[in-house]
Amino acid sequence: MTTQRSDDGPRAEPPIARPIEEMRTGGAGRFRIYLGAAAGVGKTYAMLDEAHSCRRRGDDVVVALVETHGRPGTEAHLAELEVVPRKIVEYRGARFEERDLEAVLARRPQVALIDELAHTNVPGAGRNEKRWQDVSDLLAAGIDVITNVNVQHIESLADVVERITAIAVRERVPDAVIRGADEIELVDSSPERLRRRLLYGDIVPPDRAREALRGFFTTETLTGLRELTLRFLADELEGRSCGRPGRTRGETAERVLVGVSTAPGSDAVLRRGARLAARLKADLHVAHVVVGDDDPFDMKIDALRRLADDLGAEWADLSGEDPAAALVDFAGQRQITQIVVGPGGRGRRIPLLGSGSTVRRLSRRAANEGIDVHVVAQAPSSATSPSDGGKPDGDPRTMEGRPQGR
């Protein structure tokens, strides 16, 4: 279910870094996400509001971790809720407070609140690198989880967000995690209201507010992020109404195949294909054509494999001297209806591992098989390579409300 909210103020340990697709298995806890376009829309407040409602219904609720960022309203709303004490972690000569996952698991509440789903955990803070992996462990233990995230952290939207904000967002959440939620609720606010709250010091300290108003929190940027959030939710709502989460392989009418290589921009082409597949409610496949002496285990290809996994795609390594023929043959075997590639270009390798003539051959062969071909505009590779795992520089924590690289 996807809804909208106006802005108001001893157990056996599960495997570490469990595969994404295992998050939603039988007996798992329920998973709710509050989604917003930017820091300050009221996601944490809404999450705490829901926690109080759960308590009134008699549910056993704990706060695994909530960041108030010194906001009085949020701190007041946190009162009367049981908070699991944080653990102190030393990293690079500094001391950080982190969530204590093992303590939450030992406490075994019915419902746990955990803030900032995209957060990268401080190294040494526990079993998992990313907070969404902590959420996976809680769900697997049968604990319901309420969390929040901003749209700029959704993996398939990374290149679009970078164009809107001119900022490379390093901390990302796999689409499969977001789409695996039982409920996604929009917490919305107009750009004008957000800018007023920022100016009044309700989002970041007053000494940083004017800089933020000229940077991340411009009206144009906030409007673009808000529109992106609404489009994502609209696609998700339509997909759920079509029964996408419960479908079995083979039931979908559309299947999308993305051809990739080590060329710059392949990650952007892959994300573009993922967005197309989401709109079409289609299965997503990714193919790398190994030509001649190409190394299928190239580091760039390995990074793309991880990105494909984050986007919920199936990966295939193909071989053949003619990439066009290899892709179309594979498409026929998998009943692909749409192929997405990057453009041709003279004197350089492209996401299809060939030249413009390869794209033309692909188009002709695909047409004969009744397959549509999408040649997307060449986009620069994201400033943050998917191979970095989203690790931030220096302070490894997500800083809610920080305009730079939030």
Side-chain angles (χ1 to χ4, degrees):
M1 177 180 179
T2 305
T3 57
Q4 180 170 346
R5 178 191 184 97
S6 60
D7 175 36
D8 295 314
R11 60 180 286 277
E13 290 189 354
I16 296 176
R18 184 170 26 260
I20 296 169
E21 61 270 18
E22 295 183 13
M23 288 186 68
R24 311 304 303 142
T25 57
R30 291 186 58 80
F31 185 23
R32 182 171 189 168
I33 297 175
Y34 286 94
L35 176 67
V41 298
K43 302 181 304 299
T44 300
Y45 193 94
M47 189 172 71
L48 291 169
D49 197 34
E50 177 62 22
H52 284 286
S53 296
C54 289
R55 284 191 66 211
R56 288 192 294 270
R57 293 194 296 266
D59 294 337
D60 179 19
V61 183
V62 304
V63 175
L65 188 144
V66 161
E67 302 284 3
T68 67
H69 303 285
R71 298 168 187 166
T74 305
E75 290 177 345
H77 217 39
L78 183 61
E80 300 182 9
L81 292 175
E82 179 184 345
V83 179
V84 176
R86 303 189 190 188
K87 66 196 311 184
I88 303 299
V89 182
E90 293 191 3
Y91 178 68
R92 293 184 178 178
R95 291 165 62 86
F96 300 97
E97 290 188 354
E98 266 287 11
R99 84 286 173 268
D100 192 335
L101 177 62
E102 304 307 325
V104 180
L105 289 168
R107 170 64 175 74
R108 300 190 69 85
Q110 288 177 272
V111 183
L113 276 65
I114 187 162
D115 216 354
E116 301 176 6
L117 184 63
H119 174 94
T120 298
N121 295 325
V122 176
R127 65 175 78 176
N128 297 319
E129 177 188 357
K130 305 293 290 186
R131 190 165 288 169
W132 64 260
Q133 294 169 326
D134 295 339
V135 168
S136 174
D137 288 346
L138 293 172
L139 292 171
I143 299 170
D144 295 349
V145 175
I146 303 173
T147 188
N148 58 58
V149 71
N150 284 333
V151 70
Q152 60 262 41
H153 298 292
I154 299 176
E155 180 63 73
S156 67
L157 304 178
D159 55 324
V160 181
V161 168
E162 190 169 338
R163 288 199 297 271
I164 293 173
T165 65
I167 295 172
V169 179
R170 300 177 65 88
E171 295 190 309
R172 304 172 188 168
V173 180
D175 284 50
V177 173
I178 303 295
R179 299 189 188 280
D182 295 286
E183 185 173 0
I184 303 173
E185 181 167 341
L186 173 66
V187 184
D188 193 29
S189 179
S190 69
E192 292 76 16
R193 179 181 175 87
L194 268 180
R195 285 171 58 82
R196 286 197 301 271
R197 293 195 64 213
L198 187 70
L199 192 59
Y200 296 154
D202 293 337
I203 300 177
V204 299
D207 61 337
R208 290 167 48 198
R210 293 195 178 278
E211 178 187 355
L213 285 169
R214 295 189 299 268
F216 188 90
F217 284 84
T218 66
T219 299
E220 181 180 9
T221 294
L222 293 174
T223 299
L225 291 173
R226 191 187 194 195
E227 291 175 353
L228 185 64
T229 306
L230 293 172
R231 284 201 304 271
F232 178 85
L233 279 175
D235 288 342
E236 180 64 15
L237 180 59
E238 183 179 353
R240 288 173 186 243
S241 68
C242 294
R244 181 183 60 201
R247 86 178 177 213
T248 58
R249 190 164 301 282
E251 292 178 352
T252 180
E254 298 281 353
R255 293 175 177 83
V256 175
L257 171 64
V258 182
V260 298
S261 79
T262 58
S266 282
D267 57 335
V269 173
L270 177 48
R271 291 190 182 94
R272 182 72 173 270
R275 294 195 295 273
L276 174 64
R279 288 193 296 271
L280 295 174
K281 318 304 176 280
D283 288 336
L284 179 62
H285 299 259
V286 182
H288 167 229
V289 183
V290 182
V291 180
D293 296 330
D294 284 353
D295 181 4
F297 302 104
D298 183 283
M299 289 182 62
K300 293 180 181 178
I301 291 299
D302 189 50
L304 288 169
R305 281 195 187 93
R306 291 195 296 272
L307 176 57
D309 183 63
D310 285 349
L311 295 173
E314 282 195 6
W315 180 277
D317 285 305
L318 310 179
S319 61
E321 292 303 319
D322 185 350
L327 283 175
V328 174
D329 288 347
F330 177 80
Q333 296 167 12
R334 297 301 179 93
Q335 298 180 311
I336 300 297
T337 59
Q338 315 271 342
I339 297 178
V340 179
V341 295
R346 295 184 178 182
R348 61 185 177 129
R349 296 163 66 80
I350 61 163
L352 186 56
L353 295 174
S355 64
S357 62
T358 307
V359 175
R360 290 192 293 272
R361 290 199 310 278
L362 173 67
S363 298
R364 288 195 298 268
R365 284 176 173 270
N368 292 336
E369 301 296 329
I371 301 171
D372 295 334
V373 175
H374 303 266
V375 183
V376 304
Q378 183 67 39
S381 183
S382 171
T384 303
S385 166
S387 64
D388 69 7
K391 293 181 181 178
D393 295 322
D395 186 348
R397 298 174 299 171
T398 299
M399 300 301 289
E400 174 76 8
R402 173 175 292 179
Q404 304 91 334
R406 163 72 180 91

